[in-house]
Amino acid sequence: MRALRLMMTGSTLLMAGCSFTTASGLTECETSSDCETSQVCTAGYCLPQPEGCGVVYGPASAANAIPLGATVPLSTSDGPDESEVQALNAIKLALDEINQREGVNGRPFVLHICDTRSEPNRAAEQAQWLMRERQVPMIFTSSSAQALAVSSFTVPNGVLMMTYSATSPDLAAINDQNGTTAGLVWRTAPSDVLQGRIIGDLLQGNILVNGAPLYDSISKVGISYVNDAYGQGLFGVTLGRIDATQRTVTSAQYTRNSADVSSVVQHITTSLPDVEVLIGFSEDNARIINQTATAGRNTQRWFFTDAGKDRGLFTSLGANEALVDDAYGTSPAQARPDLVYQLFAQRFRSAFNQTDPGQYSFTAHAYDAMYLVALGAAYAAGPDVNTPQAITGARIADGLALVTPGEAGTSLNYNLGTEGFAGARAAIRNGQVINVTGASGNLDFDATGEAPSEYELFRVKDGGFQTVQLIAPPTE
């Protein structure tokens, strides 16, 4: 009787979804709801998940869902990162549109999201967890330092990494051919080799804006840059583009998310540049501007790069918002007049409280990244829905290698988004070379998974960003 009673008690606990602690200290479970907030149910036990992980977007209960991962900096030490939140919204929008069109072979996509808090080491830890526990064949990343950290683990494990904002030239040098000649590191954002050329030419007066040089009669240029792969790479290209016989350049570096930017402020207040280029993120840019104003220089002219195009800048500046009015900057082109971008922008506004995606860098690139991953997955699954192949990182990469303009007349042309996805999916699953135009422009990938892009010159005006003109990057 006693044994029966114990058996019944155990059965009751299991049926109720309750759990008990084993001798090893692990708690048994049936679903993650049986576990503590910071744990997930894995193979019948409650196991800890990395801090920042746990959010799932999409039909998580679907038995045949295709899992994707995202390690993205949705926050910093200062709070939410508004630009990254909007980029993730763009991925969610694309994921919803794709799932509404039956995903791949009737299988929907589900996105497992981790907030890196802008810390590369944390991003790497989260990526390992996503690969190990969520069995994802690919991971979205953002920012150069974090993408490089994540790729150190995704490539050896045969997992594809797609980044929508990592622009460091270092990414192109990664040996990523593990199981595929196409490579496992891809990005929709263009390399800073291109942006550096444009910034240097604008400062030199070699690119005209409305028929005239952007800066007349300047002799001193200052450059402040975040001391990571992004800042170092863009600083190096920009500096190399400026003729030292025509412009004197001074510079300073700083650590991201550090409250101490005194070395940068001293550099600016001592060298008194005609224009200061800020190669960094909005929260750090705001610290530099505010502290420079406190030091007595509130008439400084500023020039921003892509990571600085973020409406969070104005929030962080507070009462000093007017100090950046009429400042200029560059970013991979977003606010394009073509139909693909306009459809994306209208749908984004409708989905996210009339937010203008053009007020942030890389929202269009994030949207395109999700669509490209879906096309790669369609190729990976193959043309026979009855006997689908495994969707692996290598096979997704093989599919992405088909997204490139072939010789004249040999590729089919499609727009990414609601208009052209179904046709592109049907073509690529049959191995057809396709040429796609995304919300971020023509995605003409080369053999290394890189796609060039136009850039926009933007101007800060009345607490927002206005596109002045689009610029094709110099070829050399």
Side-chain angles (χ1 to χ4, degrees), residues 176-184 186 394 397-398 401 446-449:
D176 61 345
Q177 295 181 327
N178 180 12
T180 171
T181 57
L184 292 168
W186 290 74
D398 290 342
D446 62 19
T448 65

Side-chain angles (χ1 to χ4, degrees), residues 443-466:
L443 293 164
D444 296 341
F445 290 105
D446 62 19
T448 65
E450 303 259 324
S453 173
E454 283 187 310
Y455 281 76
E456 62 183 53
L457 174 70
F458 62 82
R459 182 186 184 190
V460 180
K461 197 67 180 175
D462 299 327
F465 302 99
Q466 300 176 352

Side-chain angles (χ1 to χ4, degrees), residues 377-452:
Y379 172 84
D384 189 346
V385 297
N386 295 316
T387 56
Q389 299 186 55
I391 299 176
T392 65
R395 286 193 55 77
I396 294 174
D398 290 342
L400 291 175
L402 298 177
V403 183
T404 184
E407 297 179 7
T410 63
S411 60
L412 301 175
N413 299 316
Y414 298 96
N415 292 337
L416 290 184
T418 57
E419 181 189 16
F421 172 70
R425 177 183 58 191
I428 200 169
R429 68 164 31 129
N430 288 305
Q432 173 69 50
V433 174
I434 63 174
N435 186 23
V436 300
T437 299
S440 63
N442 295 323
L443 293 164
D444 296 341
F445 290 105
D446 62 19
T448 65
E450 303 259 324

Side-chain angles (χ1 to χ4, degrees), residues 166-168 187-194 306 332 362 365 450-455:
T167 54
S168 170
R187 59 179 166 186
T188 50
S191 169
D192 274 333
V193 168
L194 305 181
D306 49 7
F362 303 116
H365 299 79
E450 303 259 324
S453 173
E454 283 187 310
Y455 281 76

Side-chain angles (χ1 to χ4, degrees), residues 192 195 199 230 234 238 277-281 285 303-310 328-332 361 458:
D192 274 333
Q195 184 174 198
I199 295 173
Y230 165 63
L234 186 49
T238 303
V277 180
L278 296 179
I279 302 177
F281 299 84
N285 290 343
F303 188 98
F304 298 104
T305 60
D306 49 7
K309 188 187 178 189
D310 174 0
Y328 287 90
T330 52
S331 179
S361 291
F458 62 82

Side-chain angles (χ1 to χ4, degrees), residues 20-29 39 42-48:
F20 65 94
T21 302
T22 67
S24 63
L26 297 177
T27 301
E28 291 188 343
C29 59
Q39 296 178 324
T42 304
Y45 294 97
C46 292
L47 299 176

